[in-house]
Amino acid sequence: MAAFRALVLHEEGGKVVPRIEAVDEERLPPGEVTVAVECSTLNYKDGMILQGVGRLVRNYPHIPGIDFTGTVERSDSPEFAPGDPVILTGWRVGETQWGGYAEKARVKAAYLVRRPEGLTARQAMAIGTAGLTATLAVIALERHGLHPNSGDVLVTGAAGGLGSVAVSLLSRLGYRVVASTGRPEQRDYLSELGAADLIDRAALGTKPTRPLDRLEQMTQTVPLSALPEMAPRILSGGVRGRTVVDVAA
């Protein structure tokens, strides 16, 4: 079988060491569907895994990346056929089994959903796991009675990936959004996403156009090779918004 390019983590001397490597396809984990990956994302959990924080990964070598989108290459499931565009989020992929920081991934068919027509790979991952989480949170709030006339909606961690999507979604739905962040220099960024006001997170106490158009404001794209350098930045709050990983770059 052909080899593919991937970011592979190794454990050496008690430390996690990342390398860009060629990996034989036969080493992919079991699963009904093999996907040619186009994009993944960089999330806080990815930063932890890349830095070896929290022992989220127990078996090395390991390919991280907790979500991805791409095209079905081979399928043993009647649910998917070669050429189908798909998305994966969750299922502890990138943590307990190999993930999306590679040109290929193999997973269970139940882990995948079809990528909606008209949504590009980059747009899908600009939304990604964080965007899905933000969307589900907004849906849950509205099911419990929240509406634009309820008053201001506070979004904490507003300059992060999940918070950025939440600010954009809520403002688009007609809510007056108050953004809380420990990074006051992000005021202009959050205002552009739709925040009406900004609150320093310290003030909260001791405990800390169209929707797709706004994705461009909150999204940057990086190659696989940039992830080791970016991992400590995302853990320290130095990365704002969403980060899409172009696995082919």
Side-chain angles (χ1 to χ4, degrees), residues 16-184:
V16 174
V17 179
R19 299 191 188 100
I20 302 292
E21 298 178 0
V23 179
D24 290 334
E25 189 174 334
E26 62 186 14
R27 294 177 60 193
L28 285 170
E32 298 98 346
V33 184
T34 302
V35 179
V37 179
E38 297 173 64
C39 292
S40 182
T41 65
L42 178 62
N43 301 277
Y44 192 87
K45 181 183 281 190
D46 295 308
M48 293 178 68
I49 291 170
L50 288 164
Q51 292 287 288
V53 175
R55 296 292 296 172
L56 297 174
V57 175
R58 299 303 177 93
N59 298 306
Y60 295 90
H62 178 73
I63 296 176
I66 68 168
D67 50 18
F68 63 77
T69 186
T71 305
V72 172
E73 194 171 82
R74 285 190 298 278
S75 176
D76 295 325
S77 167
E79 297 297 320
F80 298 99
D84 286 345
V86 292
I87 299 172
L88 180 143
T89 59
W91 303 100
R92 300 189 72 189
V93 169
E95 181 183 347
T96 61
Q97 75 170 68
W98 285 9
Y101 291 170
E103 291 176 330
K104 292 188 180 181
R106 184 178 294 137
V107 296
K108 294 180 179 180
Y111 293 1
L112 299 169
V113 297
R114 282 179 174 78
R115 191 169 74 219
E117 185 177 350
L119 193 68
T120 68
R122 186 175 186 275
Q123 288 171 337
M125 286 296 96
I127 298 168
T129 299
L132 174 62
T133 304
T135 302
L136 292 173
V138 172
I139 291 171
L141 287 169
E142 292 194 326
R143 283 177 176 170
H144 284 80
L146 183 72
H147 54 80
N149 293 328
S150 299
D152 293 354
V153 177
L154 176 67
V155 177
T156 60
L162 193 156
S164 293
V165 178
V167 169
S168 180
L169 279 176
L170 288 163
S171 65
R172 181 68 179 179
L173 289 170
Y175 291 92
R176 186 179 187 277
V177 180
V178 178
S180 170
T181 179
R183 295 180 275 172

Side-chain angles (χ1 to χ4, degrees), residues 212-235:
L212 289 181
D213 292 335
R214 293 190 180 185
L215 285 176
E216 293 300 321
Q217 296 175 262
M218 68 178 77
T219 304
Q220 62 175 325
T221 302
V222 300
L224 275 177
S225 58
L227 296 183
E229 181 271 331
M230 290 191 70
R233 288 174 51 204
I234 194 169
L235 292 182

